[in-house]
């Protein structure tokens, strides 16, 4: 079994050959405007538009915690909008928005899509920014859902 590869860089510029899926965590409110999604939107407008439409039409689709949406943005690049966050943090918030069970369920859907496409998966440390999650809880989910299935995973850390 391979391990997760950690690199310095930008997850919106995934490295390597073949089909790639850039994965990130979204909230269940339809909000898109802080954190990693800003980098996604700067590079590709389609994932934000698809996510907002998915949320708007949620009465007629599978939008909700644990869901995953896949948006093709280039011939060999997809973006995975993974709903793994209940709401957003506000000044009055207690606790964190991350929902580990939802991230786990969304990662299972991601694994299926990656296997179908023969794709590698690229991501920041999902669920650990605005969602407030802990990497030591999320990393094993990635290892179990993706790496154990032979899906190559690269995690990008920004900075020097």
């Amino acid at each position: 079994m391979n391990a997760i590869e950690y690199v310095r860089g930008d997850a919106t510029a995934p490295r390597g050959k073949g089909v790639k899926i850039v994965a990130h965590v979204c909230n269940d409110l339809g909000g898109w405007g802080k954190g990693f999604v800003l980098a996604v939107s700067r590079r590709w407008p389609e994932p934000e538009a698809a996510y907002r439409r998915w949320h708007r039409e949620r009465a007629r689709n599978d939008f909700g915690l644990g869901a995953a949406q896949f948006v093709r943005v280039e011939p060999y690049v997809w973006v995975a909008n993974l709903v793994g966050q209940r709401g957003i943090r506000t000044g009055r918030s207690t606790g964190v928005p991350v929902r580990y069970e939802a991230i786990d369920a969304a990662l299972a859907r991601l694994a299926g899509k990656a296997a179908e496409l023969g794709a590698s998966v690229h991501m920041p440390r999902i669920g650990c920014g605005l969602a407030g999650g802990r990497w030591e809880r999320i990393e094993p989910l990635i290892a179990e859902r993706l790496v154990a299935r032979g899906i190559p995973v690269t995690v990008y850390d920004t900075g020097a």
Side-chain angles (χ1 to χ4, degrees):
M1 175 168 49
N2 296 334
I4 297 170
E5 180 182 2
Y6 291 88
V7 299
R8 291 229 176 265
D10 177 1
T12 67
R15 302 174 185 186
K17 296 190 185 316
V19 179
K20 299 176 247 345
I21 301 173
V22 176
H24 69 103
V25 168
C26 304
N27 64 63
D28 65 348
L29 294 178
W32 181 293
K34 289 187 176 181
F36 182 71
V37 297
L38 296 177
V40 170
S41 289
R42 274 193 300 274
R43 186 151 177 117
W44 309 288
E46 300 92 346
E48 178 180 359
Y51 170 79
R52 290 186 184 280
R53 185 172 49 255
W54 189 32
H55 177 264
R56 193 172 50 251
E57 297 170 359
R58 67 191 175 280
R60 298 182 303 279
N61 64 40
D62 68 344
F63 184 91
L65 285 171
Q69 179 188 52
F70 303 97
V71 183
R72 192 174 192 174
V73 293
E74 294 177 15
Y76 296 99
V77 180
W78 294 69
V79 171
N81 294 329
L82 310 177
V83 185
Q85 181 182 327
R86 165 79 69 200
I88 57 173
R89 256 192 231 195
T90 66
R92 295 172 288 143
S93 296
T94 58
V96 294
V98 69
R99 294 296 179 267
Y100 297 109
E101 309 79 24
I103 289 175
D104 188 41
L107 286 170
R109 290 176 173 84
L110 173 59
K113 186 68 169 182
E116 172 191 323
L117 296 172
S120 56
V121 174
H122 305 260
M123 63 180 69
R125 292 187 187 235
I126 60 169
C128 294
L130 296 172
R134 295 190 351 257
W135 188 245
E136 54 272 14
R137 295 261 324 259
I138 294 170
E139 184 184 43
L141 302 176
I142 294 166
E144 181 181 333
R145 294 295 184 181
L146 299 167
V147 177
R149 287 188 62 178
I151 297 165
V153 176
T154 304
V155 172
Y156 295 76
D157 289 314
T158 57

